Amino acid sequence: MTQRTLVLLKPDAVRRGLTGAILSRFEAKGLTLVAMQLRSIDAAMADAHYAEHVEQPWYPPLREFAVSGPLVAVVLEGDEAIGVVRALNGATDGRAAAPGTIRGDLSLSNRENLVHASDSEESAAREIALWFPDLPA
Ligand code: CDP
Ligand code: MG
C-alpha cells in the first residue's frame, strides 16, 4: 500500500553536512520526495512535534537539540513507506543501531541520531499536517 511518512533530517544532520548523503539513501531505495523544507523551529513547534514525549525526563535536552539549528523536513512516499523508512533509519540509539542503517552507520548518540520518521499511519497523518499544512493529499 502506498504511504506517506514525515521525515526530519535533524540539526545534527545539517551541521555535519549529511543531508545529501541521507536523502540519497531514501531516493536510492525508491522512495519519492513529495515535500521538502529547510527550516528552524521554536520550542512550541518542537513540543507539538514531540507531543508524546514532552513529559519524559529526557525531553528538555531533546527540545534544546531540536531548536539548535536548521533541520530539513521531508515527506516521502512509496510502498509501505512508513515501515521502510523506519527500517532504513535503524534503532533509536545510534550506538546500538545495526550497521547498514542510517543511524547505525552515521550516529554514535541516543539523542543526536540524525533522523526522525513517523511510526504509524496515525503519526504520519498528524505529522505531515503539522509540518506541511498546505500539502495536497
Ligand atoms: O526517533 P524514534 O522514534 O526512533 O525514537 P523515540 O523513542 O520516539 O524518541 C524520539 C527522539 O527522542 C529520539 O529519536 C532521540 O532523538 C530522542 N531521545 C533522547 O533524546 N533520549 C532518549 N533517552 C530517547 C530518545
Ligand atoms: Mg518516535
Side-chain angles (χ1 to χ4, degrees):
M1 181 184 53
T2 301
Q3 295 177 329
R4 287 180 175 183
T5 187
L6 186 282
V7 173
L8 300 178
L9 312 183
K10 298 182 187 185
D12 55 334
V14 175
R15 269 195 290 274
R16 293 175 60 195
L18 292 173
T19 58
I22 294 169
L23 278 171
S24 284
R25 292 186 180 218
F26 295 132
E27 291 186 311
K29 184 68 173 174
L31 296 155
T32 301
L33 274 170
V34 171
M36 182 161 69
Q37 183 182 40
L38 177 75
R39 62 186 277 187
S40 298
I41 64 168
D42 61 13
M45 181 64 180
D47 292 357
H49 175 73
Y50 284 121
E52 67 175 322
H53 295 315
V54 292
E55 303 301 330
Q56 295 291 333
W58 42 264
Y59 183 68
L62 175 61
R63 181 205 279 126
E64 285 308 301
F65 168 52
V67 304
S68 67
L71 53 74
V72 179
V74 179
V75 177
L76 293 174
E77 183 176 281
D79 191 28
E80 302 296 333
I82 295 169
V84 165
V85 172
R86 297 277 299 183
L88 290 174
N89 285 358
T92 302
D93 187 337
R95 298 166 297 190
T101 66
I102 292 165
R103 289 161 166 172
D105 287 350
L106 301 172
S107 169
L108 196 56
S109 170
N110 192 34
R111 177 168 301 120
E112 302 203 5
N113 57 4
L114 297 168
V115 279
H116 164 86
S118 307
D119 63 7
S120 66
E121 289 188 65
E122 294 70 28
S123 298
R126 187 188 76 82
E127 293 170 4
I128 290 168
L130 176 67
W131 287 87
F132 295 99
D134 299 325
L135 184 65

